[in-house]
Amino acid sequence: MWTLGDVELESRLLVGSALYPSPEIMTSAVRASGAQVVTVALRRQMPAQKSGEGFWDLIRRLDVHVLPNTAGCRTVKEAVATAQMARELFETSWIKLEVIGDDYTLQPDPLGLVEAAAILTKEGFEVFPYTTEDLVVANRLLEAGCRILMPWGSPIGSGRGLMNPYLLETMRARLPDATLIVDAGIGKPSDAARAMELGCDAVLINSAIALADEPVRMGEAFGKAVAAGRMGYEAGMMQERETASPSTPVVGTPFWHMDGH
């Protein structure tokens, strides 16, 4: 068990709800992954409107925690308004905060992100800010009242994995009390396992599951990879060495001979 915000969870995998071939495959993939938190883009699905009722019914039947996001927002005003609407519609104070600053990389705008986070935390939101692995920005977000940080692995939807594991590891070491969830760019189960081995608390996956040839099997694979990576981190992995070291020492070790002597 671990705590996300004020909620106790078993799975450390969060999944997105976009891009799946069908809503039915999405629900099956979520169940196969074991994820207990699902992100929902407010702009795409509006539970108060008929166009989103079927989708919203599927989400409710999954019995998961919903994490609305401000996907597509490019200004502080837009992101704050979207978050306020999400709290009313989804009846949750959780919000994945996105304030996009570059259309090509979809890199977050650090200044707008910190400003919006400060506004929303004062309004009682549990803010999940989508940020880069920049340590200075991370500290500003914590000062703004965030307890959770969502640094990217690489640009959204790129599948390039962890571009800078060193900085993610540095964030873990320097911010021991913050909850770190790697979000964006993870393309393979091994990428997710690596993020967990670095000490991150969880990962959020969407495209890598939804766009797989078999999303349901891929969801299961990511669930197992996240669990394995976390187990390895907690067990204490061996340190890398510059030279070889025999796994079976020979000095002072008796040898068995075929003749029994």
Side-chain angles (χ1 to χ4, degrees), residues 136-155:
V136 175
V137 176
N139 275 302
R140 295 293 179 269
L141 289 166
L142 295 177
E143 291 169 2
C146 298
R147 299 188 294 173
I148 298 161
L149 301 173
M150 302 188 79
W152 68 355
S154 51

Side-chain angles (χ1 to χ4, degrees), residues 61-139:
R61 287 201 293 271
L62 281 171
D63 192 26
V64 293
H65 297 277
V66 175
L67 175 59
N69 66 46
T70 63
C73 292
R74 286 169 169 75
T75 68
V76 172
K77 182 178 180 180
E78 188 180 17
V80 169
T82 302
Q84 292 167 338
M85 191 181 304
R87 178 161 61 181
E88 180 179 348
L89 292 175
F90 294 101
E91 299 180 344
T92 178
S93 62
W94 284 11
I95 191 71
K96 181 190 170 191
L97 179 62
E98 296 184 26
V99 182
I100 300 302
D102 182 78
D103 289 336
Y104 182 74
T105 63
L106 298 180
Q107 181 170 329
D109 171 3
L111 301 180
L113 185 66
V114 172
E115 183 181 346
I119 294 171
L120 292 173
T121 55
K122 288 178 182 177
E123 293 186 4
F125 283 88
E126 184 74 72
V127 179
F128 295 58
Y130 166 61
T131 182
T132 64
E133 68 276 70
D134 188 296
L135 188 61
V136 175
V137 176
N139 275 302

